Amino acid sequence: MNNIIVIGSTGQIGSELTMILRKIYSGGTVVAGYIPGAEPRGALLESGPAEVADVRDARQLAAIVDKYHIDTIYNLAALLSAVAERKPLMAWDIQMNGLLNILEIAREKGCAVFTPSSIGSFGPETPHMNTPQDTIQRPTSMYGVTKVATELLSNYYHSKYGLDTRSVRFPGLISYTTLPGGGTTDYAVDIYYAAVRGEEFVCPIAAGTYMDMMYMPDALRAAIEIMEADPARLKHRNAFNIASMSFDPEILACAVRKEIPGFRMRYEVDPVRQAIADSWPDKMDDSCARQEWGWAPQYDLAAMTSDMILNLKKKLFSL
Ligand code: VAH
């Protein structure tokens, strides 16, 4: 990788991934792709080039790839699960028509492509415990439908045209930097903000609802390591299960209370997000990622909680 574009560079993953890629690949170019209304600011804007890059505008994307001699495309453009249920047609347009534009441009210009999948690509019939790498995927959300289709289309472009497409199935991602945008797992971010502010947290996901979760530093490292992996070792491509921790709201609240003893939580279950969460795995088996490209998480729940609370205190109270 040398000249990279991050499409969706101001989102939950993109805002941090762009900065890390610019540090690692300082000899090359890392373009921050964004859409009007979600402009890069601060260090993200000042540390490298930025271009309007709407995945639904193939001409615009192709011009950027030519201008910067892009060799790798991180395609992070997506509506997250709960938003996608409110706007299913827009989600399909961005996630599928946009992906087709990207794959066609990459095929013509020889770019590698990373388009994340998710635990959302699984459905009620998928084994919930130790979810296998290769298993039934019949998601019941529009977000999940687009993620399974993303995996299949990305694999198709690899097998038919030899395109270098690779990806991972992200768990719910937790970060203190950029707020998430309407996901089912976002309660696991919101809880930390409420705890640090000394507020009671109203949890939209029911006790006993286990989901795979991951701290953002591990997720960012996975997105980079998969693209740097030796292609000869890869038996899979789109997309690898990657896991680090699995918990329900009660376990998370207990971890928060160890750092903030007075923390209080009550439940007001959101039926839309609860139905989505119930259809997702409890815990994935990520042995293929470990064997084929050396995946290994570095953060557990205690380490993540300590780091989240420390950094949110700095962010919210300028400590
Ligand atoms: C969501 N955070 O909840 C995203 C993610 C694995 C979940 O795709 O929609």
Side-chain angles (χ1 to χ4, degrees), residues 12 80-82 118-120 143 170-173 182-186 280:
Q12 184 193 24
L80 293 183
S81 55
S118 153
I119 57 173
Y143 178 79
F170 279 132
L173 301 183
T184 300
T185 61
D186 296 350
W280 288 354

Side-chain angles (χ1 to χ4, degrees), residues 10-234:
T10 60
Q12 184 193 24
I13 301 171
S15 58
E16 297 188 63
L17 180 64
T18 307
M19 298 304 286
I20 287 186
L21 287 169
R22 284 177 173 167
K23 281 199 185 77
I24 297 172
Y25 296 97
S26 53
T29 301
V30 181
V31 180
Y34 68 94
I35 56 171
E39 285 76 7
R41 292 176 293 163
L44 183 59
L45 180 62
E46 290 146 19
S47 60
E51 297 278 357
V52 175
D54 186 330
V55 289
R56 295 167 292 187
D57 184 340
R59 288 166 59 89
Q60 184 183 69
L61 290 178
I64 296 169
V65 170
D66 288 340
K67 179 178 177 182
Y68 295 94
H69 309 290
I70 298 296
D71 55 55
T72 305
I73 301 171
Y74 277 91
N75 169 29
L76 306 179
L79 297 186
L80 293 183
S81 55
V83 175
E85 282 311 293
R86 293 199 300 271
K87 303 175 182 176
L89 299 185
M90 180 187 275
W92 181 268
D93 193 24
I94 292 170
Q95 275 125 263
M96 299 319 304
N97 296 330
L99 175 63
L100 199 57
N101 286 338
I102 287 170
L103 292 172
E104 273 298 292
I105 290 164
R107 180 175 65 82
E108 287 161 28
K109 302 187 189 286
C111 307
V113 181
F114 173 96
T115 305
S117 185
S118 153
I119 57 173
S121 67
F122 298 116
E125 298 92 343
T126 306
H128 277 230
M129 278 308 290
N130 299 316
T131 303
Q133 174 64 44
D134 301 308
T135 186
I136 186 169
Q137 292 176 273
R138 297 183 67 82
T140 50
S141 67
M142 174 55 91
Y143 178 79
V145 167
T146 67
K147 287 305 177 185
V148 174
T150 291
E151 293 187 14
L152 296 174
L153 195 58
S154 299
N155 277 336
Y156 175 84
Y157 268 74
H158 173 68
S159 53
K160 187 168 174 83
Y161 303 113
L163 194 61
D164 187 1
T165 58
R166 315 177 191 191
S167 189
V168 297
R169 292 170 183 149
F170 279 132
L173 301 183
I174 296 160
S175 162
Y176 59 84
T177 303
T178 303
L179 282 170
T184 300
T185 61
D186 296 350
Y187 88 90
V189 177
D190 300 336
I191 191 171
Y192 288 106
Y193 280 84
V196 168
R197 288 184 173 123
E199 299 165 354
E200 180 183 45
F201 179 58
V202 182
C203 187
I205 298 294
T209 308
Y210 284 78
M211 288 185 273
D212 280 293
M213 299 283 184
M214 184 174 290
Y215 200 27
M216 186 62 81
D218 275 340
L220 298 173
R221 191 166 45 80
I224 294 168
E225 288 178 0
I226 177 69
M227 297 308 281
E228 292 176 336
D230 175 2
R233 290 182 57 195
L234 301 180

